[in-house]
Amino acid sequence: DAFVLAPQCLENENWDTDIIYKLIVKIINENNIDTNRIYLTGLSSGAWATWNLALAYPDLFAAIVPISSFVDLIPLEGICKIKNLPIQMFHGLLDDVVKVDYAIAVYKELKACNATIKLTIFDDANHDSWTRVYDNKEIYEWMLQQNKIKNIKL
């Protein structure tokens, strides 16, 4: 069993990571949530929110899966604070909304920190890389294998 929280961003607005964080904490406090197994994923601007939540609260999540992310808006300074967080990134090579170069830049920055990160670039995908990611049970199996206790590197 799992809880799924899927907030929606209002059109023509940006995500407010503090409000999302407060919502997550509220859900944790009101339910029997395993806080060692909280996963974060998002697509497009939701992936931008994924990065920003992970950077703001790096100890909250067991793994993140940003897809077609607006990583150009993410400050790369301090990115190493999420190096212990398992990350799988996905992007379409033909993406005409968000350049794949942004995903590659973040991937390289995190690899330099010795992060556990995987970047998958779909050669034939445009901005919608998320359909094939979310339609594949392997991403869910991978997420469920991640656990904050297991991720701690001394």
Side-chain angles (χ1 to χ4, degrees), residues 89-104:
M89 300 171 60
F90 297 89
H91 211 101
L93 183 64
L94 306 175
D95 194 329
D96 60 353
V97 177
V98 180
K99 294 180 182 177
V100 71
D101 298 348
Y102 301 137
I104 294 168

Side-chain angles (χ1 to χ4, degrees), residues 76-109:
L76 293 181
E77 292 179 20
I79 194 114
C80 287
K81 67 181 164 183
I82 62 172
K83 71 178 184 178
N84 292 335
L85 192 58
I87 302 167
Q88 283 205 41
M89 300 171 60
F90 297 89
H91 211 101
L93 183 64
L94 306 175
D95 194 329
D96 60 353
V97 177
V98 180
K99 294 180 182 177
V100 71
D101 298 348
Y102 301 137
I104 294 168
V106 170
Y107 172 81
K108 287 180 179 178
E109 289 287 328

